């Protein structure tokens, strides 16, 4: 299909790509520029700030009105705890589905597949009401607690990941465990000592994907969390900027940039797996 | 040594489950006293299941599956069923509580009868834990001791009452110290919380100087299913989630109750609801379709360009073009909201410089929708580019060679080879992407929260609201109060559409059959 292009057609191709590049990168560049613009408004912003300064970053870190570092910490903490627990529970379930033969195995796998058809956010009203009830009885797990949010995320994380993980485990030859059994290992030891170390790559990928997904989640956090010091970055940033684009643009830009950097880095780290996962039907949230 | 280890493990396990079951039992008692029977059943089933799974050696694989499954059942499956239940009720502001809870609440309301006894009082405090005792005296001079919500008659010479200086004023009871007038004034709010129960009455603080009797105002008669106002004998009957008198007076709060398909009928028949709902419904489909179309077209063009081995800087271009996809969507949506801002946004400033005036990106339905499509194009084209790049590599080069020999033009090669083959392999992903955007709450809500508002809508519906953001606003942002029932009805409709799309996708790809063969 492709031949060595003529000069003109080559020029057109590069032009088209450059045009899209401008579209793709302009918001990013504009945010970087805005974060260094000391005026903190959208009105007077130039592409290259006349007197670049760290003023917005300092305001971001020090303001008690919008505890950005705390929000960021909340997001990282919640994403971290959820991802670790989710990967642990996922590997256990995936191992059983991959290695053991038992009644109800196929049906169980189907249920896991069918449930993930309905994204958890669809049931946000029910989940909110659920924790409203829980709150009356066990306030420690009620609305506006990180525990409630983590538990919610855990519930939603199991279905998809079990399938991805099972697919990977199926490719590890059984002979490895059989050798371990002969040496007297229990099934759990075989899983823990033999299979898990071999599955490290997929564990890492699942962990990072899960982390990215939860860090970026907005709806359920919005519904379940309410007090300022409990918010995640996604909800905090939204309440902070809420319609005040004229006045808070500089600080918001700095926050957006700092908030995005960890995820962008993680994304490029696991990009290869995201891309191969894409062709298997995953859609990033 | 080995045996010891096994034994130690067993003991540890039994110890762990003993603790766990004790905790579960404690929770069960709490749940029972709170009359939270649904949770109680869930807790009991869960506990029994966990014990059976881990303490017996039967069903060994379950040990691996149960932890994750429990979370999934409780937070994915149960909410789905609960949504169905709520959609069939009038659950919402004013009707939050169950009927039992409302009856209990009403029965705890008291009124002050006309000939009620009044008591002068002295209050005593335990400085260690802040508990109070009150000593009441009626007009006849009888003494009553009120403690821990109970009342007890007491003689003036009871040995608990200490009057050390013999001036007729008790200074101490059981180690509780008399409050001065100043302290009473300071602790009035605390004293108001004291409720002393005696023979169906409640004795409570009336004003600074006295306590008085209150008697229950409402009584529920289960055999007639009605509430009687004991003050005036008025009867209140159950009517549409409230207790209502013959004159039509309603007792607040209302309770939630089963209303069948009413919420669904409201969506279809109530003109002030169905009109906006229909517009939201249509826009949701337009939005999902246009999102997929625009992102796919741009992604495909870029993929075809970048797939060319003769193109310089391919790797660099690809890495840069993926950047929008790597940024969390909530950040991108908020940033774009700033760029599109009507008054201070850079886009309108550029338009002003070029065209002389900006566009109403937030307040005009058409332009708000256009902005959303542009934003979602930005967010989504890298994904389409990546999947198309993957798919293009699987199209054999010979097809093009054969076509070239037959004299096909570049366009014909694209139209009859590239596009059909691309669509076959990325088709399922396009459908998945449609389903995803169908519920793409983040972009819609963070850009403009569904606004501009529709004129004349009874429910909070906006021109850019999609179904999922509509349910959110019905539940959490309505000025008229939450309508969880209606929101859940809309959610059920989303469930059905999502299920339909997915079913279609499975049929189209044969994914289910493939899964069946491979599990």
């Amino acid at each position: 299909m492709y031949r060595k292009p003529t000069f003109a057609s080559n020029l057109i191709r590069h032009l088209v790509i450059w045009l899209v590049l401008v579209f793709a990168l302009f918001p990013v560049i504009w945010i970087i520029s805005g974060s260094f613009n000391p005026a903190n408004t959208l009105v007077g912003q130039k592409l290259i700030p006349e007197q670049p300064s760290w003023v917005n970053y300092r305001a971001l870190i020090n303001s008690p009105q919008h505890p950005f570092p705390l929000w960021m910490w909340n997001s990282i903490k919640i994403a971290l705890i959820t991802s670790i627990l989710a990967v642990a529970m996922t590997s256990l379930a995936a191992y059983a589905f991959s290695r053991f033969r038992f009644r109800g195995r196929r049906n169980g796998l189907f249920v896991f597949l069918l449930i993930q058809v309905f994204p958890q956010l669809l049931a946000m009203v029910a989940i909110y009401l659920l924790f409203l009830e829980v709150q009356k009885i066990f306030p420690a797990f009620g609305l506006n607690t990180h525990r409630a949010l983590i538990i919610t995320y855990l519930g939603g994380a199991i279905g998809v990941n079990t399938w991805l993980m099972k697919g990977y485990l199926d490719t590890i030859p059984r002979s490895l465990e059989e050798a371990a059994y002969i040496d007297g290992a229990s099934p759990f030891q075989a899983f823990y000592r033999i299979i898990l170390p071999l599955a490290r790559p997929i564990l890492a990928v699942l962990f990072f994907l899960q982390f990215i997904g939860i860090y970026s989640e907005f709806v359920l956090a919005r519904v379940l969390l309410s007090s300022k010091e409990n918010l995640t970055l996604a909800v905090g940033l939204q309440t902070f900027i809420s319609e005040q684009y004229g006045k808070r643009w500089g600080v918001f830009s700095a926050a957006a940039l700092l908030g995005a950097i960890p995820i962008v880095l993680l994304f490029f780290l696991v990009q290869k797996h995201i891309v191969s996962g894409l062709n298997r039907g995953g859609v990033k949230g | 040594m080995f045996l010891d280890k096994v034994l130690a493990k067993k003991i540890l396990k039994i110890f762990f489950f003993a603790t766990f079951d004790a905790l579960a039992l404690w929770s069960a008692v709490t749940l029972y006293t709170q009359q939270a029977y649904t949770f109680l059943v869930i807790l009991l089933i869960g506990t029994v299941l966990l014990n059976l799974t881990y303490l017996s050696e039967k069903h060994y694989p379950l040990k691996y599956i149960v932890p994750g499954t429990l979370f999934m059942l409780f937070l994915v499956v149960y909410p789905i069923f609960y949504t169905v239940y709520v959609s069939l009720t009038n659950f919402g502001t004013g009707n939050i509580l169950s009927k039992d809870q409302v009856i209990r609440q009403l029965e705890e309301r008291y009124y002050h009868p006309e000939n009620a006894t009044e008591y002068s009082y002295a209050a005593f405090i335990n400085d260690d834990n802040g508990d109070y005792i009150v000593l009441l005296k009626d007009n006849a001079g009888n003494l009553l001791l009120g403690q821990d919500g109970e009342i007890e008659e007491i003689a003036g010479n009871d040995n608990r009452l200490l009057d050390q200086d013999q001036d007729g004023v008790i200074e101490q009871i059981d180690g509780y110290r008399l409050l001065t007038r100043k302290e009473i004034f300071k602790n009035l709010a605390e004293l108001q919380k004291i409720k002393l129960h005696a023979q169906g009455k409640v004795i409570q603080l009336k004003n600074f100087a006295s306590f008085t009797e209150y008697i229950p105002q409402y009584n529920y008669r289960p055999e007639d299913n009605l509430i009687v106002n004991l003050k005036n004998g008025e009867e209140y009957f159950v009517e549409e989630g409230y207790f209502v008198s013959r004159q039509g007076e309603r007792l607040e709060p209302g309770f939630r109750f089963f209303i069948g398909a009413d919420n669904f009928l409201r969506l279809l028949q109530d003109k002030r609801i169905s009109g906006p709902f229909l517009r939201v419904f249509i826009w949701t489909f337009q939005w999902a379709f246009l999102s997929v179309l625009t992102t796919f077209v741009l992604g495909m063009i870029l993929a075809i360009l970048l797939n060319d081995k003769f193109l310089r800087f391919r790797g660099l271009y690809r890495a840069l073009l993926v950047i929008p996809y790597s940024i969390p969507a909530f950040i991108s949506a908020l940033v774009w909201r700033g760029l599109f801002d009507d008054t201070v946004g850079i886009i309108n400033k550029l338009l002003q410089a070029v065209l002389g005036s900006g566009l109403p990106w937030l307040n005009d339905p058409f332009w708000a929708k256009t902005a959303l499509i542009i934003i979602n194009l930005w967010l989504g084209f890298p994904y389409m580019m990546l999947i198309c790049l993957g798919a293009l590599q699987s199209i054999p080069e010979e097809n093009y060679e054969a076509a070239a020999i037959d004299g096909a033009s570049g366009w014909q090669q694209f139209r009859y080879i590239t596009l059909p083959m691309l669509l076959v392999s990325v088709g399922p992903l396009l459908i998945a992407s449609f389903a995803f955007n169908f519920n793409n709450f983040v972009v819609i809500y963070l850009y403009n929260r569904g606004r501009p508002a529709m004129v004349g809508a009874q429910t909070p519906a906006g021109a850019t609201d999609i179904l999922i953001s509509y349910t959110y606003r019905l539940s959490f942002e309505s000025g008229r109060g939450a309508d969880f029932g209606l929101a859940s009805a809309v959610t059920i409709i989303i469930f059905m559409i999502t299920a339909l799309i997915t079913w279609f996708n499975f049929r189209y790809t044969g994914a289910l059959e493939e899964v069946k063969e491979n599990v």
Side-chain angles (χ1 to χ4, degrees):
Chain A
M1 170 183 194
Y2 299 107
R3 275 154 299 176
K4 204 159 169 53
T6 61
F7 178 77
S9 82
N10 203 13
L11 191 71
I12 292 171
R13 285 169 200 206
H14 281 276
L15 265 178
V16 170
I17 292 173
W18 271 92
L19 219 66
V20 182
L21 270 179
V22 170
F23 172 56
L25 296 183
F26 178 75
V28 182
I29 293 164
W30 194 245
I31 276 287
I32 296 174
S33 137
S35 76
F36 289 107
N37 178 15
N40 197 20
T41 75
L42 253 163
V43 181
Q45 192 187 341
K46 304 231 166 59
L47 198 56
I48 296 163
E50 276 159 7
Q51 294 168 306
S53 82
W54 294 98
V55 136
N56 292 323
Y57 289 89
R58 255 181 248 129
L60 189 63
I61 288 164
N62 296 326
S63 168
Q65 288 162 342
H66 39 91
F68 173 81
L70 186 64
W71 291 340
M72 188 114 174
W73 164 242
N74 286 343
S75 278
I76 291 175
K77 183 185 81 180
I78 290 169
L80 210 61
I81 294 175
T82 313
S83 308
I84 291 171
L85 291 177
V87 169
M89 290 196 297
T90 306
S91 351
L92 280 171
Y95 180 70
F97 281 127
S98 168
R99 288 308 199 261
F100 303 136
R101 289 291 172 269
F102 51 94
R103 240 184 29 187
R105 173 175 163 278
R106 281 170 62 122
N107 289 335
L109 269 172
F110 264 119
V111 171
F112 274 52
L113 182 72
L114 290 183
I115 281 173
Q116 72 175 52
V117 164
F118 302 109
Q120 215 182 2
L121 79 117
L122 291 188
M124 62 186 164
V125 175
I127 290 173
Y128 171 82
L129 295 175
L130 173 68
F131 281 102
L132 190 71
E133 289 294 316
V134 170
Q135 180 163 30
K136 289 181 197 153
I137 305 155
F138 304 114
F141 290 87
L143 290 176
N144 197 22
T145 62
H146 289 165
R147 294 183 201 95
L149 193 60
I150 290 171
I151 292 173
T152 308
Y153 287 153
L154 276 180
I158 311 295
V160 205
N161 292 342
T162 302
W163 269 89
L164 287 176
M165 180 90 185
K166 180 193 166 283
Y168 188 89
L169 293 184
D170 285 345
T171 64
I172 299 177
R174 275 161 180 271
S175 50
L176 292 167
E177 293 144 277
E178 277 153 16
Y181 289 146
I182 292 171
D183 290 345
S186 69
F188 185 75
Q189 281 172 327
F191 164 68
Y192 190 72
R193 296 262 162 81
I194 313 279
I195 299 300
L196 268 196
L198 286 172
R200 235 181 257 151
I202 186 84
L203 291 180
V205 169
L206 283 186
F207 175 83
F208 288 132
L209 290 182
Q210 196 64 47
F211 188 93
I212 293 174
I214 293 192
Y215 185 96
S216 316
E217 203 282 333
F218 173 76
V219 193
L220 293 169
R222 168 85 266 181
V223 167
L224 291 179
L225 302 177
S226 51
S227 66
K228 195 197 279 175
E229 69 280 0
N230 274 348
L231 300 183
T232 60
L233 183 66
V235 186
L237 215 53
Q238 185 238 348
T239 52
F240 165 63
I241 192 67
S242 61
E243 328 263 301
Q244 310 241 21
Y245 283 90
K247 274 185 258 161
R248 295 180 167 176
W249 181 250
V251 181
F252 169 76
S253 301
L257 203 61
L258 289 183
I261 283 173
I263 297 305
V264 173
L265 292 180
L266 271 186
F267 179 87
F268 279 94
L269 192 71
V270 290
Q271 203 203 144
K272 206 174 71 197
H273 302 282
I274 293 180
V275 173
S276 67
L278 292 181
N279 288 332
R280 267 187 269 121
V283 178
K284 185 187 148 223
Chain B
M1 183 62 203
F2 182 68
L3 268 178
D4 282 353
K5 224 175 163 181
V6 172
L7 192 68
K9 261 189 188 167
K10 273 223 165 100
I11 292 173
L12 204 70
K13 193 161 147 186
I14 289 172
F15 182 73
F16 176 80
F17 269 91
T19 323
F20 179 81
D21 289 346
L23 262 173
L25 194 68
W26 173 76
S27 310
V29 171
T30 318
L31 288 171
Y32 181 75
T33 51
Q34 302 261 356
Q35 308 192 333
Y37 299 122
T38 322
F39 286 148
L40 185 64
V41 170
I42 292 174
L43 178 80
L44 290 181
I45 293 177
T47 312
V48 170
L49 201 69
L50 279 173
N51 276 283
L52 281 183
T53 310
Y54 289 99
L55 293 178
S56 91
E57 288 304 313
K58 265 176 160 184
H59 309 301
Y60 182 78
L62 272 186
K63 292 187 184 186
Y64 293 77
I65 297 167
V66 159
T69 311
L70 279 183
F71 275 97
M72 202 161 79
L73 286 178
F74 194 50
L75 285 145
V76 181
V77 180
Y78 176 69
I80 291 176
F81 286 103
Y82 196 61
T83 307
V84 176
Y85 162 73
V86 175
S87 75
L88 301 174
T89 69
N90 65 340
F91 209 148
T93 304
N95 301 76
I96 294 280
L97 303 172
S98 69
K99 190 173 153 200
D100 288 346
Q101 287 169 319
V102 168
I103 290 169
R104 241 180 302 152
Q105 222 183 67
L106 288 173
E107 286 189 333
E108 273 170 29
R109 288 192 193 165
Y110 297 90
Y111 76 102
H112 184 221
E114 276 167 30
N115 53 357
T117 324
E118 291 210 8
Y119 303 90
S120 61
Y121 74 99
F124 299 81
I125 187 167
N126 181 340
D127 283 318
D128 295 334
N129 55 20
D131 277 354
Y132 293 97
I133 292 185
V134 285
L135 188 63
L136 307 174
K137 192 193 218 171
D138 65 14
N139 292 335
N142 297 320
L143 288 181
L144 293 170
L145 188 68
Q147 186 175 11
D148 300 333
E150 305 286 333
I151 205 110
E152 152 187 19
E153 283 186 36
I154 194 167
N157 56 5
D158 193 289
N159 57 11
R160 276 174 293 175
L161 309 178
L162 282 183
D163 181 10
Q164 274 153 343
D165 48 11
Q166 302 289 326
D167 63 350
V169 178
I170 313 286
E171 290 104 19
Q172 234 181 9
I173 302 177
D174 260 359
Y176 285 59
R177 165 180 75 74
L178 180 67
L179 287 179
T180 63
R181 286 180 69 86
K182 213 168 153 190
E183 282 174 312
I184 288 184
F185 200 69
K186 240 168 65 187
N187 294 318
L188 217 51
E190 288 298 311
L191 291 173
Q192 259 164 357
K193 286 184 200 153
I194 297 177
K195 285 182 180 168
L196 304 165
H197 297 269
Q199 295 148 6
K201 299 175 198 161
V202 167
I203 298 175
Q204 250 185 304
L205 192 70
K206 186 187 176 199
N207 53 37
F208 183 71
S210 62
F211 270 62
T212 188
E213 283 176 352
Y214 291 86
I215 53 178
Q217 187 171 5
Y218 298 103
N219 183 251
Y220 178 66
R221 280 211 222 119
E223 63 277 11
D224 305 321
N225 192 23
L226 57 81
I227 289 247
V228 184
N229 185 339
L230 299 172
K231 193 173 166 186
N232 54 18
E234 188 77 68
E235 290 173 331
Y236 294 83
F237 303 91
V238 170
E239 200 180 298
E240 306 215 327
Y242 288 93
F243 287 106
V244 184
S245 75
R246 286 206 179 79
Q247 283 77 40
E249 183 207 348
R250 277 202 322 200
L251 290 181
E252 300 285 342
F255 49 87
R256 57 177 194 256
F257 80 115
F258 196 75
I259 56 170
D262 274 13
N263 284 320
F264 295 93
L265 292 179
R266 273 163 78 202
L267 282 178
L268 296 176
Q269 291 171 349
D270 184 337
K271 284 238 161 54
R272 284 167 306 171
I273 296 175
S274 65
F277 170 72
L278 194 67
R279 282 163 69 183
V280 169
F281 190 85
I282 293 170
W283 161 241
T284 311
F285 277 91
Q286 291 172 331
W287 155 255
F289 178 76
L290 287 173
S291 291
V292 175
L293 184 72
T294 51
T295 51
F296 176 66
V297 169
L298 183 60
M300 182 185 64
I301 291 172
L302 289 169
I304 290 172
L305 291 177
L306 289 182
N307 201 34
D308 183 351
K309 289 182 289 289
F310 296 106
L311 187 82
R312 288 184 72 187
F313 311 121
R314 282 165 82 196
L316 180 67
Y317 284 154
R318 185 182 169 289
L320 289 175
L321 286 170
V322 170
I323 284 177
Y325 188 50
S326 70
I327 297 171
F330 74 90
I331 290 181
S332 312
L334 288 171
V335 168
W336 273 103
R337 166 66 181 77
L339 303 182
F340 271 117
D341 197 278
D342 273 354
T343 46
V344 292
I346 177 69
I347 292 172
N348 261 1
K349 283 219 247 132
L350 289 177
L351 287 177
Q352 259 156 20
V354 179
L355 302 173
S357 77
L359 289 167
W361 295 111
L362 299 170
N363 296 321
D364 179 79
F366 175 78
W367 290 112
K369 287 175 180 177
T370 310
L372 276 166
I373 296 287
I374 294 172
I375 295 171
N376 216 31
L377 173 63
W378 188 85
L379 284 164
F381 82 83
Y383 168 75
M384 293 294 182
M385 181 183 88
L386 291 174
I387 60 171
C388 286
L389 270 172
L392 282 178
Q393 262 145 33
S394 63
I395 301 177
E397 190 67 20
E398 295 88 66
N399 288 357
Y400 296 109
E401 283 162 20
I405 290 168
D406 286 351
S409 69
W411 166 252
Q412 283 170 323
Q413 289 184 20
F414 169 75
R415 174 69 186 77
Y416 294 105
I417 300 173
T418 312
L419 190 62
M421 296 195 80
L422 207 56
L423 280 178
V424 166
S425 55
V426 303
L429 297 179
L430 296 186
I431 299 175
S433 171
F434 183 91
F436 173 80
N437 281 307
F438 195 87
N439 295 317
N440 197 341
F441 180 91
V442 171
V443 176
I444 297 281
Y445 185 77
L446 291 184
Y447 176 63
N448 207 14
R449 300 169 86 178
R451 289 171 302 182
M454 282 183 202
V455 184
Q458 195 194 18
T459 50
T464 60
D465 260 323
I466 56 175
L467 289 170
I468 186 74
S469 67
Y470 182 53
T471 67
Y472 177 87
R473 293 179 59 188
L474 279 175
S475 309
F476 304 111
E477 284 192 345
S478 168
R480 290 161 182 269
D483 194 340
F484 298 123
L486 192 64
S488 296
V490 178
T491 306
I492 299 295
I493 293 173
I494 307 177
F495 274 139
M496 291 196 293
I497 296 168
T498 311
L500 211 67
I501 296 170
T502 313
W503 177 79
F504 177 75
N505 207 0
F506 279 150
R507 283 304 293 252
Y508 176 70
T509 58
L512 269 188
E513 282 68 29
E514 198 181 312
V515 165
K516 266 183 198 152
E517 280 158 25
N518 289 327
V519 291

